[in-house]
Structure formats: structure tokens, C-alpha cells
Amino acid sequence: MSLIDGLLHRLRVLHRGERYSEEIASELRFHADLEALAQRSENRDRVAAEISVRRAVGNVTYYREEVRRMTPLAWFDGLRQDLNYAWRGSARAPGFTAAAVITLGLGIGVNASVFSFLDRLFVHAPDGVVAPSAVRRLYIEYSRPEEPSGRLAFDSFSYPYIRALTLAEDSSVKLAAFTSADSTAIVDGEARVPVRLSRVTGGYFSVLGVVAERGRLFTGEETRIESPTPVAVISDALWRSSFGADEHILGRAIAIGTRRFTVIGIAARSFSGIDVDAVDVWAPANTYEGSGFNGLAWYDTFQSAFRLIARVPPALPETKVLTAATAAIRSVHLTGWFYDSTAVARAGSILRAAGPSKAEKEVSISTRIAGVALIVFLIAVANVTNLLLVRAARRRREMAVRRALGVSGKRLYQQLLTESVFLGLLGGAAAALFAVWGATALRRLLLPGTHWATSAVDGATLVFVALAALAAGVVAGLAPGFQSTRPELVNSLRAGAREGSYRHSRLRSTLLVVQTALSLVLMVGAGLFVKSLDLVRSIDTGYDVEHLAFVGPRFPGARPPAGEVVARLELAVSRLRDVPAIEGVGMTSIAPMRGASYTTITLPDRDSLPEFEGERGASVSAVSPGYFGAVGIPVLAGRDFGDEDRHGGQNTLIVSRAMARTYWPGKTAIGQCLKLGKRSSSAPCATVVGIVGDVHRYDVVEKPRLQFYLPATQADTFFTPTVLVIRARGANLMAAGAIAAAELRRAFPTSSPAVIRTMAQSLEPQFRPWRLGARLFLALGILALVVAAIGVYSVVAYSVSQRTREMGIRIALGARTADVLSLVVGEGARTVAIGVLVGVLVSLAAGRLVATLLYGITAHDPAVLAGAAVVLMLVGMTASMVPSVRAAKVDPVVALRSD
């Protein structure tokens, strides 16, 4: 037989072993029959001939078994036997099996939940996009001195930037813009179907390679930005769920919000946008609801926010594309919008979370949670390893007997490893069930406003669960298998030897120390986030947050002239002041902490403005009389605006305390002059008539900022007040807001229904990262604490069960209950104390990983470290107490007789 023929023969045997063994057996029987016939032809007795043939040929069954042993079937036979043994063993010890499966299920399930979330954010490309790696998101990177890097990238473009970029780029580069999904509803009579609407430019679908499943996409005049065209493309999911897959949907008019759109197409079935927030309806960008100002349309101002994508041909260097984009960005100068001559264009993955912009706090927390989930997994594996070690110690006599009967150590190791992998797979099945709930809960917690297009658990998550379960089973079974295959045969088989005498195990103690240390790390993390949340909540933003609501008119078409808007709002304010449920009301150009406006200011007696916290200018708001009282800003000196601060009268303004101290240090700001406009401007002085408290501009957590206020009736049209601020009396906040909204509808009959938003709701997203961190760390910390408690209990309980005779002798010699309790609890407490010490050291070393997510405290906060250590010690001692009580109740007579 040649080498090739031999190789092919072996491959055939491996591939079709059962058939090969049958062929061998058949061939042997054939030769035996021939030999028997030959011997009978020589007139030999039939029985004697068959006996002779069998002696010559040998045992056919033996040969067949030998052939089977040479094939993969033998491995499967062993695996089947081991699995059956593992199943019977698990069924005999339901408590042990349940503890191991639940522990692994929780440990793997938590990791699967986090994997599912992060995979969708950072790895999983949007469905339905052709060659998604060739699609790049574009960003503008501005100078930001307050950032550690001094730069910050944004993915928001107003339309003038999009127009400039489109003109500047090479014709081979396809550009498109889209808005983030906006919540609205399809209105059909009394029925309202919530949908997510995105407005897109003409090339959006072609850039992504998406085609229409039915009908067509936007073309020609429908995409001209100057010509609003109410047509829409809907998703396949919406077509099926809300329209029952109606074949006549194309050409049908549907009401979306307050406007009617004609459905012209259905997007490809798998496509739902490129962000995690799924889109149901796409409309042309020219239907964007922007009002513009100073006679300019919205698409000529900064008052729009699009995201930009580009499909770059492989032959064109990306640097060339970005160079052209940077030049285009710097060519755009917008009225009322800051200009940065150092702005540059950046590009990133089609996945927004993987781009160069600053990650959202929730996303940053999710990456830390991944580390926490890994710790939980390690704790679970360590716990199950400890349980298997205890079980292996109990089975020492069984293993010794099997070794004495000739079973090899390798075969025993394989069997024990199969048992642990079997437990791991059972834990994986439990983890898959847990992940369905956990991944969904994680999505709702971290990104509650997101309408996910994909299921929480997909194929990739299930593969992750299977691999993690396999890894957990193998790792957990290594040490117990090694221990069981090296039994001391003489001692284990000695007549009268009990099923495993007590021996102190360093490995078990080490694993318990690891569990305790990792649990402490999680408890410290939870404590840090809880304390940070409390500190953030205690920050004084300068406003009476709990009693404020905002409401403003929404104009579906062109906004009325500024003077008319102010006059009608003043009338509405005067009526609302008589409402009992409203304690204060005012109007402003920008709602508190919802943005900022700027204008050039100069001091007549200075060449430049003093610098304060890295900036020289100040933000400005136009407000009405009574505004400060309504929002809770104290007037520290001077006066509030009044009826005398009218257009045509003396120009006045009110400054914040920080601005007064910075611009006029050492003297009062009241009566000082500030000019609005450039130094060469002939504008008259605006006299400071009041000083008010400092307020936050954007964020709950931010450095002090300079702020001044103009009277609403004296402000430029750019600062026209369009927001009413309501301060409710008592707990009537929403009722007061509803009254204000009704009053606005009365003042502006053609306006859309006003949206009421409380200030607490407005600030809620800023508290969410700390709240999420506190909840998730606390939940996982408690989980780790429970697992660690189980580990302490199992080890101490095993120790007590193996020392029954020792306890009996101690009690017989006069040991009191307190002595036995202190002996057992002391041993458990010492192990936990070592784990706590190690955990403190690990927490100190790993603190920098969460330091950027904390507020007001360091990652090495002594109170948090001490609190976590005390809690863990108490839990460890409690877990040791239960078996110690059992040890103290040992009957000496029974204990000594049982040996």
C-alpha cells in the first residue's frame, strides 16, 4: 500500500468507522465460512471444523471492537458514557448541581448581557448596508481648552456646512446627511402609532447601498432643499406592523405629526437606519422644521443638526477627502455661531460609538460594566471550582477504588473534566435564559430612549454563551480533576476509613480569598458611585429645579415678527400671574441650562475683557421682569428689570456675581457701563442695574461661568424670548404647565400644541450616568457578595462535616459551645480577612479606571473602602456562623461511634 493509499485508508476509517468495522467482521466471517467448507469437504465433523476455524481466525467481535477503538466512535462512546455518568451524578446531588448551575448561569449571563450591548454598539455593522466598512462618518473637531486633549469632535453639522462639503469634495466621494431619529406619531383619526422619523438628503440611500423593496426612493426635485416635498419612505417593519403589509400603501397619504406625507416607497427589509435607534420613516431633508431668523431660512443658519456620512472609493486616500472637508468647514461663517479657525474634519467608523467624538457617559459606563461583569464571571468560576474541590474530596475513596481496578488516571481526568463541562453547559443554558432578560434590562437602563431594531440576544450572543460555558467548565474542572486522579490509595482504601478525612486545602482557601477580594472590589465600586450620585444631586445649579417647567409656542410655518411675539408673550405672562397654581412666571430667550447665546461685549475702559476660567466672554439671555423670582435666582444687589426698561429707554442689563467680580474687581458693578458690540461700535453703554446669583450654563457639573441678562424689550431680534418659565406653587407643576400651554395656544392660535418640560426632566439625563453606575455596580456587587457568601459557607460547612469526630472529642474533653463557635468562625473570618486585605489593595490599584466617572470623591475614598470591608467581613462571619452552630451541637457519643 502506497503512502497516499494508506492515508486515504486511514481517513476512510476515521470517517466511516462503524461501516469499516462491519466490513472487517463480514470479511472474517466469510473467510471462516470458506475454511469450514474446506474442512467439511475433507469429511471432518461439522462441529469440529467450526471449532477449528474459530481457533484459527479468532474472535470476530474482538476484531470489530478493536477497529471501533481506532475510530472517532471510540471517543464518542467514552463521551457518551461520561455524560451519562455526569448526568446520574448531578441527579444524585441536586443541591450541589443547582448551586453550580445557578452560579455559572448568573456569571455567564451577566457577561452575555454586556456582550450583547457592546457588540451592537461597537462591532455589529448596521443591517442592510452594502460594504459598511467603506462608509465613513464625518466629524468637526473644534478647539476646547477645557478638555484634557484641548480638542473635541462633534458629529453634528448645520446645513451650510453640508452644502460647502458637497461642493468641495471630489465627485467620486458620495456624501449624505441625516437627522437622528425623532419620536413622532402617525395619526389616523383617534389612533396614534408612535414612529421614529429621520430626515435625509438625496444621496442617503445610495451612499448606504440601500434599495427600495417596493416603490422608489427620493429623486430629483423631491431632494431640493428649498422645496419642501412631503413624501416618505417607510421601513418594512412599519409596513407590516402598522399597515398589515397593505399592497396599496404606495401613493397613500399619511399624517405624521401635524403634516401629511405621501408614501412613495418601502426600504429594504433588513434596513432600519445606521444608528442603534431604529428609524420607521424617512422624509426629505427639505421637510426639516426649522424657523430660521433675521430673514434667513433654516438651511442658511446654524439652526439645524444633521449627521454626515460619506462613501469613499478605495482608490482615493482618506486624507485627501479630509483635507478638502477641512477647507470647506473653515470657509463657513454663520451669524450667531462661533467660528474656530483651527477646526478640522475627522472621519470614523459607520458605528457612532466607535467614532472620535466624546463617548456618552452611558457608553463609558457600559465599558466599565464589562470589566465588572468579567469580575463576576471570575468569582462564579472560583466558586464552582471550590464546590468541585469539595465534591472531589468526598469522592476520594471512589476514585481510589477505580484506580485500583485498573482505570487510568487519564481516563479518570477525562471523566471528571466531562462532568465539570457538563455543569458548565447546564450553566450556559441558564445563562442564555438570563441573558434574554439581562440584555433587555441593560438596554433599557443605559439607553432608555432608544428604539432598538435588533433583538437583545442574537446568534453572536448565543455563541458567546456557549464558548463562555465551555471555558468555565474546563477551567473549573482542571484542579478537581488533578486532585482526584492522584489519590493516596492506601489511606483511601484502608478498611474503616471514612469517605474523606479532613485536610486543609490551600487551593480552596486561595479561591475563597480571590472571591472575597473581587467581591470587595465590586462593593467599593458600588459605594463610589452611590456617593458620587449623592454629591451630584447636592450641587446647587442656581435654579429652583424641582418647581420649574418650560413651555413655548411652536410655529409650524414662519414665526411672527419678534415684536409681536414679545407682546403676545407679555400678555400671556400677565394672565398667568393671576393663576393660583403658579407662584412665578417669566419669559426668556433660552430655557435655563438648555443652551447659551453669545454676543460681542467690550468694556469702555479696558483693551480686552478679563479672563475667567479660561474664557473672556459671557453668555447672554434676554428675560422679562419677574424672571429671576420665577426661576429662583436671587437678586444680590441693585434691582430686577421693570417696566422702565423698555425699548427706547436707557439700555440696562443685569450681571451675575462672577461677572461682577471679574469685570469690576474691588468695586460695585452697579452703574457700570458695558457696550454690546465691537469696540469701534457707536452703540451706547448698557448700564448695570443689578447683580444676581451665578447659575450653571449647560451641565450640572461644570465650572462657574459668566452670564448677563438683557431686558426682553431691549434685546436684538436674535434674542427674542420664546420660552415661558413657570414656577409652580406646591406640587402642581404639571397642572401649572398645562395652564401655561393653554394660555400660549390662546396667545398664538395657529401654533402647534406646546410641549411641557420640567427642569427636573431636562436635567435627568445628566444624573443618569451616576445613577446607572450606582445601580449596576450595586446590583453586581450584591450578586458577587451572595456568591462569595455561598463560597464561604460551602468551604466552612465542608470543613465542619469532615471534622465531626474532632469536634466530638473537643466537646467530650470539655470544650464549651463558645469555644467551638469561635474556632469555626475564626477560621472562616481569617480567610475572609485576607481576602478583604487583598481586595483593598486591588481597589486602590484599579481606582483610576473609574476615576473619570466619579464626582466629588477620589477612587480611594477611605469611608467607602472601610464600609465595603466591614460589610464583607460581616457577611463572611455570618456565612461561617451557620456551620459553626452545627459543629457546636455535635453529640460526642455519636461522633466517636461513627468513626
Side-chain angles (χ1 to χ4, degrees):
M1 182 181 291
S2 66
L3 180 63
I4 296 177
D5 290 339
L7 180 62
L8 292 175
H9 172 72
R10 285 171 173 76
L11 289 175
R12 177 171 171 267
V13 171
L14 289 174
H15 179 59
R16 308 181 69 175
E18 179 65 24
R19 183 170 179 179
Y20 181 72
S21 66
E22 290 179 356
E23 290 175 356
I24 291 292
S26 176
E27 184 175 350
L28 288 172
R29 282 194 294 270
F30 174 75
H31 287 292
D33 291 342
L34 285 180
E35 183 65 22
L37 284 175
Q39 293 191 18
R40 285 205 298 272
S41 66
E42 296 173 357
N43 298 323
R44 293 192 64 178
D45 179 69
R46 185 179 63 82
V47 175
E50 288 184 357
I51 292 174
S52 175
V53 169
R54 286 188 180 182
R55 286 175 177 169
V57 175
N59 190 335
V60 175
T61 303
Y62 169 78
Y63 289 123
R64 186 174 177 179
E65 289 297 322
E66 281 297 299
V67 170
R68 187 181 180 89
R69 190 177 61 80
M70 295 166 58
T71 69
L73 293 175
W75 183 83
F76 283 110
D77 289 340
L79 179 62
R80 178 175 52 78
Q81 294 167 3
D82 292 343
L83 286 176
N84 286 335
Y85 193 84
W87 171 255
R88 293 198 301 271
S90 300
R92 282 197 302 269
F96 165 84
T97 304
V101 170
I102 292 174
T103 302
L104 287 177
L106 291 175
I108 299 172
V110 169
N111 281 269
S113 303
V114 177
F115 170 84
S116 170
F117 184 81
L118 295 181
D119 176 66
R120 188 62 185 87
L121 282 184
F122 293 99
V123 180
H124 188 90
D127 294 330
V129 177
V130 176
S133 60
V135 178
R136 308 287 287 168
R137 281 181 186 255
L138 297 184
Y139 300 80
I140 301 180
E141 186 183 86
Y142 294 110
S143 172
R144 284 288 186 276
E146 65 273 19
E147 294 294 324
S149 64
R151 310 282 297 178
L152 192 60
F154 296 87
D155 66 344
S156 179
F157 294 79
S158 55
Y159 194 80
Y161 286 101
I162 298 171
R163 182 190 292 133
L165 285 164
T166 304
L167 294 174
E169 288 295 351
D170 187 277
S171 59
S172 61
V173 178
K174 295 180 180 179
L175 286 171
F178 65 99
T179 63
S180 55
D182 187 25
S183 295
T184 181
I186 294 177
V187 182
D188 185 9
E190 296 296 325
R192 293 175 62 86
V193 179
V195 294
R196 310 283 288 175
L197 171 67
S198 175
R199 291 177 170 83
V200 302
T201 57
Y204 176 75
F205 292 107
S206 63
V207 167
L208 298 175
V210 176
V211 298
E213 179 181 306
R214 292 170 183 266
R216 61 178 177 82
L217 304 174
F218 306 128
T219 58
E221 282 295 311
E222 293 170 349
T223 63
R224 284 189 68 241
I225 198 68
E226 299 85 358
S227 305
T229 309
V231 292
V233 174
I234 64 175
S235 69
D236 179 86
L238 179 67
W239 176 54
R240 295 179 186 278
S241 62
S242 300
F243 298 101
D246 183 4
E247 296 290 343
H248 304 291
I249 186 66
L250 300 181
R252 178 175 165 183
I254 58 175
I256 303 177
T258 58
R259 304 178 67 175
R260 296 189 72 79
F261 290 78
T262 300
V263 178
I264 62 170
I266 300 172
R269 185 167 189 172
S270 59
F271 183 69
S272 59
I274 63 173
D275 289 330
V276 293
D277 208 358
V279 176
D280 300 307
V281 181
W282 292 270
N286 53 37
T287 61
Y288 191 88
E289 294 180 345
S291 56
F293 63 93
N294 285 347
L296 298 174
W298 66 266
Y299 47 81
D300 289 325
T301 70
F302 62 86
Q303 292 183 313
S304 57
F306 288 87
R307 292 170 180 167
L308 199 54
I309 53 176
R311 184 177 287 274
V312 181
L316 187 63
E318 187 173 288
T319 53
K320 185 177 180 180
V321 176
L322 295 180
T323 301
T326 298
I329 288 170
R330 293 179 181 177
S331 70
V332 177
H333 297 259
L334 297 175
T335 303
W337 189 250
F338 70 96
Y339 178 79
D340 185 352
S341 60
T342 68
V344 296
R346 297 281 304 275
S349 164
I350 190 174
L351 299 171
R352 185 165 180 255
S357 59
K358 190 174 183 178
E360 298 174 3
K361 285 276 188 182
E362 290 84 348
V363 175
S364 299
I365 286 178
S366 69
T367 57
R368 270 68 170 185
I369 291 299
V372 174
L374 179 60
I375 292 177
V376 173
F377 177 73
L378 295 177
I379 293 174
V381 173
N383 195 305
V384 173
T385 302
N386 240 342
L387 292 174
L388 288 173
L389 284 171
V390 171
R391 190 188 190 197
R394 291 177 180 273
R395 298 170 63 186
R396 200 158 49 235
R397 183 180 177 84
E398 173 196 342
M399 296 298 133
V401 170
R402 298 180 69 181
R403 287 298 302 274
L405 293 176
V407 178
S408 67
K410 179 182 176 182
R411 185 70 185 86
L412 277 180
Y413 204 107
Q414 177 184 333
Q415 179 195 321
L416 293 172
L417 206 56
T418 302
E419 291 181 13
S420 65
V421 171
F422 179 73
L423 283 176
L425 294 178
L426 290 179
L433 296 176
F434 178 84
V436 173
W437 173 84
T440 303
L442 197 61
R443 286 182 170 190
R444 290 176 180 171
L445 274 174
L446 291 175
L447 298 175
T450 299
H451 177 58
W452 297 79
T454 56
S455 60
V457 175
D458 55 7
T461 305
L462 294 178
V463 170
F464 174 84
V465 169
L467 293 177
L470 189 63
V474 171
V475 172
L478 289 177
F482 181 78
Q483 176 179 297
S484 298
T485 53
R486 302 171 66 88
E488 297 178 3
L489 296 180
V490 176
N491 292 333
S492 300
L493 296 175
R494 189 180 57 199
R498 288 172 290 123
E499 191 68 20
S501 58
Y502 173 71
R503 293 181 183 179
H504 180 73
S505 171
R506 289 185 179 178
L507 181 57
R508 286 200 299 269
S509 299
T510 302
L511 290 172
L512 193 56
V513 167
V514 171
Q515 291 179 61
T516 307
L518 294 178
S519 300
L520 184 92
V521 172
L522 297 186
M523 292 299 295
V524 169
L528 291 174
F529 273 98
V530 170
K531 196 167 182 179
S532 290
L533 177 61
D534 288 341
L535 292 173
V536 170
R537 283 193 171 283
S538 65
I539 294 175
D540 182 9
T541 62
Y543 298 103
D544 184 8
V545 174
E546 298 301 324
H547 299 94
L548 292 184
F550 318 131
V551 59
R554 297 194 304 160
F555 305 106
R559 191 179 71 182
E564 182 180 341
V565 171
V566 173
R568 294 191 184 190
L569 285 177
E570 283 186 326
L571 184 60
V573 168
S574 64
R575 291 171 177 160
L576 291 172
R577 283 178 178 149
D578 298 329
V579 176
I582 296 177
E583 185 175 350
V585 58
M587 57 183 185
T588 177
S589 55
I590 298 178
M593 299 182 68
R594 296 287 293 172
S597 297
Y598 300 86
T599 187
T600 303
I601 56 176
T602 56
L603 293 171
D605 55 346
R606 305 276 185 89
D607 293 332
S608 62
L609 295 173
E611 183 176 337
F612 179 78
E613 295 289 345
E615 66 177 16
R616 294 185 181 277
S619 55
V620 56
S621 295
V623 301
S624 66
Y627 168 81
F628 298 111
V631 298
I633 301 176
V635 178
L636 305 175
R639 63 173 176 84
D640 191 357
F641 292 130
D643 294 337
E644 64 272 30
D645 301 305
R646 286 272 167 192
H647 181 67
Q650 182 189 17
N651 290 330
T652 57
L653 56 84
I654 293 175
V655 299
S656 66
R657 175 166 48 191
M659 186 171 177
R661 291 176 176 175
T662 304
Y663 283 15
W664 300 281
K667 53 186 177 183
T668 179
I670 304 298
Q672 298 291 340
C673 169
L674 189 72
K675 297 188 70 172
L676 306 181
K678 296 181 179 178
R679 182 166 301 281
S680 59
S681 171
S682 58
C685 283
T687 303
V688 178
V689 297
I691 301 173
V692 296
D694 294 323
V695 295
H696 288 210
R697 185 182 293 168
Y698 296 106
D699 301 323
V700 174
V701 179
E702 69 176 21
K703 296 178 180 177
R705 300 295 181 187
L706 304 184
Q707 172 80 22
F708 70 97
Y709 305 87
L710 298 173
T713 52
Q714 293 182 358
D716 184 84
T717 56
F718 181 74
F719 302 110
T720 300
T722 55
V723 179
L724 292 186
V725 182
I726 309 297
R727 184 177 189 176
R729 197 183 304 279
N732 300 317
L733 186 55
M734 293 307 295
I739 295 172
E743 191 60 48
L744 280 179
R745 195 63 185 271
R746 179 181 176 187
F748 301 95
T750 60
S751 66
S752 302
V755 176
I756 307 166
R757 190 177 183 85
T758 68
M759 191 162 184
Q761 291 174 335
S762 178
L763 298 183
E764 170 59 26
Q766 298 194 39
F767 291 116
R768 189 186 306 135
W770 283 280
R771 183 181 297 110
L772 285 175
R775 287 179 178 175
L776 291 174
F777 269 86
L778 194 59
L780 295 177
I782 292 175
L783 175 62
L785 196 63
V786 171
V787 174
I790 294 174
V792 173
Y793 171 80
S794 61
V795 170
V796 176
Y798 167 74
S799 169
V800 169
S801 66
Q802 299 302 299
R803 299 171 68 183
T804 303
R805 185 169 181 270
E806 175 192 339
M807 297 300 168
I809 294 174
R810 287 177 179 271
I811 294 173
L813 294 177
R816 296 170 300 173
T817 301
D819 298 329
V820 177
L821 290 177
S822 63
L823 174 67
V824 177
V825 175
E827 290 183 359
R830 279 194 292 275
T831 306
V832 174
I834 296 173
V836 167
L837 180 61
V838 175
V840 169
L841 296 177
V842 174
S843 299
L844 292 174
R848 59 186 178 84
L849 299 178
V850 297
T852 57
L853 299 176
L854 305 177
Y855 174 78
I857 59 171
T858 68
H860 306 151
D861 187 76
V864 173
L865 289 170
V870 169
V871 169
L872 210 51
M873 283 300 301
L874 291 175
V875 171
M877 294 179 68
T878 303
S880 304
M881 185 63 72
V882 177
S884 68
V885 171
R886 191 163 61 238
K889 294 181 178 178
V890 170
D891 186 338
V893 176
V894 175
L896 294 173
R897 183 182 300 161
S898 64
D899 188 34

